[in-house]
Amino acid sequence: MEEIIRDQQAAGTAAESSVANAAADMAAKIFGGEAQPNAMAQAARVLKGAPEEAPAEQPAEPAKPVFEETPVDVDSVTAKLLETVANFNGTGFCGAFNIRSNGKSLGRQSTEHIHIDTKTDNPGLDIHIAPGTRGEEVYIPACVTKAGYDDLVYNDFFVGKDADVVIVAGCGIHTETGEPARHNGIHRFFLEEGARVLYVEKHVGTGAKGPKKVIDPQTECFLKDGAYLEMDTSQLGGVSSSVRKTRATLDGKSTLVIKERLLTDDDETAETFFEVELNGEGSSVNLMSRSVARGNSHQAYQSNIIGNTICYGHSECDAILAENGRVDAAPKLSANSEDAQLIHEAAIGKIAGEQIMKLRTLGLTEEEAEAAIINGFLK
Amino acid sequence: MLEIKNLSFAPEGDKQILKNISLTIPDGKLVVLTGPNGGGKTTLAKMIAGINMPTSGSLILDGVDITDKDPTERAKLGIGYAFQQPVRFKGFTVRDILNLANGKPLTEDQLDEVLLKVGLEPKAYKDRDVDTKLSGGEIKRIEIAGVLLRKSKLTVFDEPEAGIDLWSFNSLISVFEELRETREVTLVIISHQERILSIADEIMLIQDGRLGMKGPREIMYPLICGDGCESCPAMEEGDCYGRDN
Ligand SMILES: Nc1ncnc2c1ncn2[C@@H]1O[C@H](COP(=O)(O)OP(=O)(O)O)[C@@H](O)[C@H]1O
Ligand SMILES: [Mg+2]
């Protein structure tokens, strides 16, 4: 819409603008009624015989800070885990980061705007992101590579007013022998007014199949007016058991988006609990969980969206069952205000036979079709 | 050439959906299958694609018996099928499904080209999800685009006109006409649309699970779309294509 207004202004007078409107209608017809504004504007120009417009000036984005790479020396197993969970390139990280391995820091760096400090009361970090920090990324991956090690860490993120950053967390466990290894990460996020955070978290277990690899993340989020937090979490194999608890409290007109991807196989279990309280007028949450349960694995999903005022909550939980996989889903909506608008959608079932058939008529084998459907679904 | 011999389908034992259908689809021709709803056209199409297996009878493609071949094998042998009711996929974009159809990643130009063919503005559609947010007409055109990419030897399009607006339909007709002109591929189009009937080489009527009349367009079109037997040239020649032919 913004674009069409801009393009129409570019078209000049009001009279010309109505020509552009008619042309846009025509374009909508040509393109099947669902043409995008740029397509319509473009068609309007073509129909008017006007030359291609140079794109209007965008307000200049502050330049993204560039950091030199700080080398990180890790063993090859840890390097592989870091590559999977934190896009590690094998040599180092740029910007702010802390690498945790078997409870110790293997490397840390703060930047001018992002300070990473060791907690004084508990194991873990206080991460302060200065107000207005833009375009920076923070990496705080954790690895466990010792059988029998039980890692517990508390990380708190204080995100200043109007900051806009990406936080990459994630945990990899690699063990070859019998004793269970565990990582329990307790994260809290405090977003000030207008702060925007994209939080990306990947969990993975590698090594021998027998030994247990346990990841139990607990997350608490506090969003002030105008804050936006998007959490993209995925656990795509090898984690024997996980219990994920996420709680969020939204004040003012803040927004929380959670995208969860989960794949369990063999005898793995995964439990997920979400609880979101919408306290701010105009606050909203969108919770999207997609999971696949294969082998003899079991997943349990629980969510509760609590609307206490004019607010919007949507949750969507889709699960695919394969082999003997089992899924329980208990989505709950609690509206404590007549102005709360809460929606839930859920679907559990095996891959639709017609989806497999469709892909087979495109030349894929049954196995290829299943793999393609699951990959797409979890993408 | 696809030969269909004495094909019957009775999935629940007594209810016969297809009743002893025999017909031949010659190479390089555009054959339209038409007839009332529920007559068995889609069932027959799915049998050609290998999605339904016949209770009795056989299918022979270029002299090879494909009756027992599964849908993957038939696709590899050169049979394509554009579903009457396209399937939606959570998590697939238009690009994803078209790449799968193509067998390897398409270039941006190839992607744009095929979307324009079916009347979709590439920029607006390439990265949209093929899920329930697309309208019936949109998903239908993506379905057709995917099947066009496969360049199959023989393709069945099941009611390609359904849900499609006039502009896209015109574009689609030209695609079918161009393909027909090359005479390199065989097109079987299931349709009720006069415009599609009018570009057929042959028209076959499927009714109540049986093959009713069949014949060249010159004879069949006036019978179906014109004034019935009165306008049929075969009347004068005493060479009626109806009933038992
Ligand atoms: N798998 C099936 N089991 C039972 N009945 C079916 C099945 N598939 C189709 N039918 C029935 O067969 C008849 C023919 O359907 P269809 O082939 O879809 O007709 P058309 O495409 O000509 O409209 C319909 O009565 C339909 O309900
Ligand atoms: Mg049909």
Side-chain angles (χ1 to χ4, degrees):
Chain A
M1 204 57 212
E2 205 179 54
E3 226 152 340
I4 196 165
I5 291 166
R6 200 181 65 218
D7 277 308
Q8 286 184 359
Q9 283 167 348
T13 66
E16 271 174 338
S17 156
S18 79
V19 173
N21 273 338
D25 284 346
M26 174 84 98
K29 280 185 194 140
I30 294 171
F31 294 125
E34 287 98 3
Q36 292 293 294
N38 344 0
M40 293 196 232
Q42 171 62 18
R45 280 194 291 273
V46 172
L47 292 170
K48 283 169 62 201
E52 181 112 5
E53 300 283 342
E57 290 279 318
Q58 295 286 335
E61 267 285 307
K64 210 176 151 175
V66 180
F67 297 103
E68 290 204 356
E69 185 176 295
T70 305
V72 178
D73 189 22
V74 294
D75 61 63
S76 63
V77 171
T78 308
K80 195 90 193 119
L81 289 175
L82 290 175
E83 189 187 312
T84 310
V85 302
N87 315 323
F88 181 50
N89 63 4
T91 55
F93 283 92
C94 299
F97 70 88
N98 180 79
I99 312 297
R100 182 182 178 89
S101 179
N102 302 316
K104 292 197 183 63
S105 176
L106 294 187
R108 176 182 307 173
Q109 178 161 275
S110 294
T111 65
E112 187 190 340
H113 303 294
I114 302 181
H115 290 261
I116 305 181
D117 303 303
T118 305
K119 269 191 182 301
T120 49
D121 50 348
N122 275 317
L125 307 168
D126 280 333
I127 295 145
H128 287 270
I129 299 170
T133 304
R134 290 193 161 251
E136 286 198 42
E137 292 169 357
V138 195
Y139 289 85
I140 50 140
C143 301
V144 176
T145 57
K146 263 196 228 158
Y149 191 79
D150 190 351
D151 190 23
L152 172 67
V153 62
Y154 295 82
N155 291 331
D156 286 337
F157 299 84
F158 302 92
V159 187
K161 200 164 176 278
D162 295 326
D164 186 351
V165 295
V166 176
I167 299 170
V168 180
C171 173
I173 300 185
H174 178 99
T175 51
E176 297 287 356
T177 60
E179 289 300 301
R182 176 169 181 249
H183 175 83
N184 182 1
I186 300 172
H187 287 182
R188 291 191 299 172
F189 293 85
F190 301 91
L191 272 68
E192 296 299 322
E193 285 87 357
R196 288 181 73 87
V197 173
L198 170 62
Y199 174 77
V200 183
E201 179 198 87
K202 287 183 194 155
H203 286 165
V204 67
T206 61
K209 270 203 171 179
K212 281 202 163 242
K213 301 170 190 76
V214 181
I215 302 183
D216 295 330
Q218 292 181 43
T219 309
E220 275 196 88
C221 315
F222 303 91
L223 277 68
K224 288 198 183 154
D225 189 31
Y228 174 94
L229 173 61
E230 177 176 332
M231 311 182 88
D232 290 1
T233 67
S234 57
Q235 179 175 308
L236 300 178
V239 179
S240 339
S241 120
S242 74
V243 178
R244 171 188 292 280
K245 291 183 179 157
T246 306
R247 285 178 47 88
T249 308
L250 277 67
D251 287 323
K253 206 167 176 248
S254 58
T255 305
L256 174 66
V257 175
I258 298 181
K259 297 178 185 165
E260 181 190 45
R261 297 287 181 269
L262 190 55
L263 171 69
T264 54
D265 202 344
D266 302 317
D267 293 314
E268 294 165 5
T269 60
E271 292 176 47
T272 307
F273 302 87
F274 289 110
E275 188 174 287
V276 181
E277 266 203 71
L278 299 166
N279 294 333
E281 282 191 15
S283 58
S284 72
V285 61
N286 192 3
L287 190 58
M288 290 163 282
S289 167
R290 283 197 194 160
S291 70
V292 176
R294 280 209 290 242
N296 290 311
S297 67
H298 178 250
Q299 299 177 6
Y301 172 96
Q302 279 185 41
S303 68
N304 189 9
I305 298 182
I306 304 154
N308 294 326
T309 179
I310 301 187
C311 60
Y312 177 79
H314 174 247
S315 86
E316 193 181 315
C317 155
D318 279 294
I320 291 181
L321 303 173
E323 296 145 8
N324 298 312
R326 289 173 303 133
V327 173
D328 309 318
K332 184 173 162 188
L333 303 174
S334 312
N336 299 321
S337 156
E338 66 170 4
D339 294 319
Q341 195 189 339
L342 308 177
I343 297 171
H344 180 73
E345 301 170 64
I348 304 177
K350 61 179 183 199
I351 298 179
E354 58 169 13
Q355 291 185 330
I356 293 181
M357 272 305 174
K358 173 64 211 173
L359 296 189
R360 295 187 72 187
T361 64
L362 297 177
L364 279 74
T365 63
E366 193 166 348
E367 295 71 35
E368 288 167 345
E370 273 193 36
I373 291 163
I374 287 178
N375 280 342
F377 181 72
L378 292 176
K379 191 174 58 189
Chain B
M1 183 169 77
L2 178 69
E3 296 162 85
I4 292 174
K5 295 184 179 167
N6 306 107
L7 210 63
S8 292
F9 184 52
E12 280 143 24
D14 50 4
K15 195 189 172 225
Q16 285 260 333
I17 295 178
L18 297 183
K19 301 165 186 165
N20 200 32
I21 291 189
S22 296
L23 56 87
T24 298
I25 313 277
D27 282 344
K29 290 277 157 61
L30 193 165
V31 175
V32 171
L33 301 182
T34 192
N37 292 131
K41 301 179 297 297
T42 295
T43 308
L44 179 61
K46 287 187 173 172
M47 217 151 272
I48 295 173
I51 298 170
N52 289 338
M53 288 301 186
T55 314
S56 61
S58 57
L59 295 108
I60 318 283
L61 181 70
D62 298 332
V64 179
D65 190 332
I66 60 163
T67 316
D68 295 327
K69 301 233 182 281
D70 67 35
T72 310
E73 293 171 302
R74 295 202 199 184
K76 289 183 171 156
L77 286 170
I79 290 182
Y81 175 47
F83 285 41
Q84 178 175 2
Q85 254 137 11
V87 183
R88 295 163 196 269
F89 294 87
K90 263 209 169 121
F92 279 31
T93 60
V94 170
R95 182 191 298 273
D96 293 334
I97 191 80
L98 294 182
N99 280 340
L100 280 175
N102 190 50
K104 59 173 191 273
L106 293 155
T107 65
E108 290 304 305
D109 287 348
Q110 290 171 320
L111 198 54
D112 293 358
E113 187 189 325
V114 74
L115 286 171
L116 286 171
K117 267 191 193 168
V118 294
L120 292 173
E121 209 278 316
K123 248 201 243 155
Y125 284 93
K126 274 192 257 198
D127 295 305
R128 279 188 59 180
D129 284 335
V130 198
D131 60 12
T132 45
K133 288 184 202 88
L134 287 180
S135 77
E138 289 169 320
I139 189 105
K140 188 85 191 180
R141 286 180 275 171
I142 290 155
E143 170 79 10
I144 293 169
V147 170
L148 287 174
L149 281 168
R150 292 194 58 73
K151 302 191 168 64
S152 302
K153 201 155 64 179
L154 181 147
T155 307
V156 186
F157 294 90
D158 201 344
E159 298 197 21
E161 70 267 22
I164 293 190
D165 61 90
L166 186 61
W167 300 89
S168 308
F169 184 63
N170 286 339
S171 154
L172 204 57
I173 291 274
S174 357
V175 171
F176 290 145
E177 278 182 314
E178 276 167 36
L179 283 172
R180 173 174 174 261
E181 288 319 306
T182 66
R183 295 293 177 201
E184 277 162 12
V185 290
T186 307
L187 303 174
V188 178
I189 306 181
I190 296 173
S191 177
H192 306 288
Q193 249 289 333
E194 284 186 33
R195 290 276 304 283
I196 290 181
L197 288 162
S198 73
I199 59 168
D201 294 304
E202 277 193 49
I203 297 174
M204 303 183 182
L205 186 68
I206 307 283
Q207 206 166 5
D208 189 26
R210 293 177 205 278
L211 174 64
M213 306 179 283
K214 69 176 167 70
R217 179 194 62 229
E218 294 74 15
I219 291 168
M220 292 293 288
Y221 185 85
L223 277 177
I224 294 166
C225 305
D227 306 328
C229 289
E230 297 312 311
S231 61
C232 174
M235 282 294 281
E236 279 164 34
E237 291 150 33
D239 183 18
C240 178
Y241 274 80
R243 308 296 151 227
D244 300 314
N245 193 299

